[in-house]
């Protein structure tokens, strides 16, 4: 399957049409952005790392009953995926408080939350991805109530699966963001990616950050951290 | 019943203890504040107007089955009220989009919403009263799920009653903010006030603003507008 015209370019990926109208090619970029793209950078090979990590995690989730857009990986940094209409929500699940949550609600950084907190943000760069409640989603025709329930349940299931998986790899899944899309039959599929760009991983023993916060906070060794995450995912011991 | 020591001073009211530990005196202030108290002003007699307006509306709501903290009005600007523990939520119901909503979600000012939108804001000046979803309320121990359902249902009932009442008075109830408290027996009572400080009223024919937006936007004639709202409320034709 070969790339045809560019359909969409986001901050982390490019989506291309293919000869099959129901399939797209998702190309993972080396670009890094943070704070709604106010901070920009690039790490050669980051796209390929995220492509590998996301492929592994999507396969794991598929095995555990989560429907995803992934068909197969076709090169180092390209996936063949089902075409979906993206639901413009950033679905965030948090296990440990850090980042914007700590400032917004004055919760101490590193607080282990008593339950997995789910938040919905409107995927709209111009508006700064504002927090939404369920009624906002209905008002903006983002998703029906039933679709929201599906989204939320899927996101919580994904959290349960990944949290346990990463714990065995010595990583705390601090929080993550996922996106969903609807295929031509109305099925809600996990889309986009799951990678250190969209998750926070802290080493269980040292609390070392192994995710995009290294870029956000200028800690450095971004790619080394992403390589470490991939190595732990692939480690079968 | 006489005022004893000051228990709490807010932006719009002072609460005093009384000889009865279950009763407080709520004194309505002439102060006006907007934009999280960044803009400040005062209108002599505004407190008395809001006290009268709020008393009338709370009585109307009581007649229609809403439990409130109001016992009786004891002077021009003082109410005797049941002592409650305030639930730190600003419960906002919107019928027409204006103010912060239009900016936050890019909705055209004046858009009649397809349903009454309910929003919960954390009553915390230091944090700038951030928007919350239901899970945040549980996380912050603000209210249990059952209590949240009660709050939301009461707020929507209040909207239905007031919207219809004000329509008959030639006013569109654009949006409003209410607060609730729990009495010693755990009953959830409508508390605080309902007035042109906490509601937006637009004349049905002219769309003239008859509420605190006159102060926020520097339109002037604030007190005249509040007097007009009271006159319409008291008009039995």
């Amino acid at each position: 399957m070969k790339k045809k015209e560019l359909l969409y370019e986001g901050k982390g990926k490019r989506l291309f049409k293919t000869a099959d109208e129901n399939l797209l090619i998702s190309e993972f970029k080396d670009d890094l952005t943070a704070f709604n793209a106010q901070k920009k950078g690039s790490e050669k090979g980051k796209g390929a790392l995220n492509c590998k990590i996301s492929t592994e995690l999507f396969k794991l989730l598929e095995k555990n009953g989560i429907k995803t857009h992934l068909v197969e990986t076709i090169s180092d940094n390209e996936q063949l995926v089902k075409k979906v209409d993206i639901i413009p929500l950033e679905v965030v699940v948090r296990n440990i408080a850090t980042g914007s949550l700590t400032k917004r609600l004055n919760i101490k950084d590193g607080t282990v939350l008593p339950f997995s907190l789910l938040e919905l943000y409107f995927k709209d760069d111009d508006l700064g991805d504002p927090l939404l409640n369920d009624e906002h989603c209905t008002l903006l025709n983002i998703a029906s109530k039933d679709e929201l329930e599906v989204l939320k349940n899927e996101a919580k299931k994904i959290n349960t699966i990944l949290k346990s998986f990463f714990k065995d790899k010595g990583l705390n899944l601090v929080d993550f963001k996922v996106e969903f899309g609807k295929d031509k039959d109305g099925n809600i599929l996990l889309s986009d990616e799951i990678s250190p760009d969209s998750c926070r991983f802290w080493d269980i023993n040292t609390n070392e950050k192994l995710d995009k916060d290294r870029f956000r906070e200028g800690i450095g060794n971004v790619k080394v951290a992403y390589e470490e995450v991939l190595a732990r995912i692939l480690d079968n011991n």
Side-chain angles (χ1 to χ4, degrees), chain A:
Chain A
M1 193 77 67
K2 280 188 181 166
K3 283 194 256 191
K4 298 185 80 172
E5 68 261 44
L6 181 69
L7 186 68
Y8 170 82
E9 175 152 9
K11 290 191 285 258
K13 286 178 296 300
R14 285 187 198 91
L15 280 175
F16 296 88
K17 290 190 179 178
T18 68
D20 183 332
E21 63 172 3
N22 295 315
L23 296 176
L24 302 175
I25 288 172
S26 172
E27 182 196 276
F28 286 67
K29 291 159 67 174
D30 287 340
D31 296 352
L32 279 156
T33 63
F35 312 117
N36 199 15
Q38 287 177 51
K39 180 170 181 168
K40 290 179 185 176
S42 183
E43 285 272 346
K44 197 167 163 51
K46 191 271 296 182
L49 277 166
N50 275 2
C51 182
K52 286 188 187 69
I53 291 168
S54 199
T55 299
E56 290 299 320
L57 297 178
F58 273 51
K59 280 187 190 167
L60 172 75
L61 292 169
E62 283 274 6
K63 257 190 226 162
N64 285 276
I66 305 292
K67 288 182 203 158
T68 82
H69 73 161
L70 181 65
V71 179
E72 59 176 340
T73 299
I74 55 171
S75 82
D76 268 3
N77 69 335
E78 290 170 317
Q79 293 177 337
L80 189 66
V81 299
K82 291 175 193 155
K83 186 179 174 184
V84 295
D85 286 324
I86 284 287
I87 296 165
L89 285 177
E90 302 205 331
V91 183
V92 171
V93 181
R94 300 175 184 270
N95 298 307
I96 298 175
T98 195
S100 63
L101 181 71
T102 61
K103 290 173 204 93
R104 187 152 42 83
L105 301 184
N106 192 26
I107 298 173
K108 192 168 176 282
D109 190 88
T111 304
V112 177
L113 300 177
F115 58 88
S116 301
L117 176 72
L118 192 140
E119 297 175 317
L120 303 172
Y121 293 88
F122 187 23
K123 216 172 122 64
D124 187 313
D125 284 342
D126 291 341
L127 297 176
D129 300 334
L131 179 71
L132 300 178
N133 68 23
D134 291 9
E135 292 197 1
H136 292 131
C137 296
T138 310
L139 180 69
L140 297 169
N141 289 315
I142 288 174
S144 70
K145 281 186 190 173
D146 288 349
E147 287 168 350
L148 272 189
E149 281 315 301
V150 173
L151 286 183
K152 290 188 193 179
N153 285 333
E154 290 294 281
K156 294 218 163 178
K157 267 190 228 164
I158 290 167
N159 183 52
T160 304
I161 297 162
L162 293 185
K163 207 171 120 174
S164 156
F165 174 78
F166 281 108
K167 200 178 168 193
D168 288 345
K169 308 290 185 176
L171 289 174
N172 272 321
L173 177 63
V174 174
D175 55 30
F176 65 89
K177 180 266 294 180
V178 281
E179 297 179 21
F180 294 88
K182 273 194 283 189
D183 70 10
K184 61 177 170 40
D185 303 317
N187 298 306
I188 291 181
L189 307 182
L190 175 65
S191 304
D192 193 52
E193 67 180 283
I194 301 183
S195 74
D197 272 8
S198 62
C199 304
R200 285 189 175 97
F201 300 111
W202 292 356
D203 182 276
I204 278 179
N205 297 313
T206 65
N207 274 337
E208 191 190 7
K209 295 176 182 187
L210 296 169
D211 55 63
K212 201 170 78 171
D213 271 350
R214 299 191 74 89
F215 171 71
R216 281 191 196 92
E217 300 172 10
I219 301 170
N221 283 332
V222 176
K223 211 176 123 184
V224 175
Y226 285 39
E227 280 164 351
E228 173 70 21
V229 171
L230 178 61
R232 294 211 198 179
I233 288 171
L234 296 176
D235 178 11
N236 291 317
N237 295 322

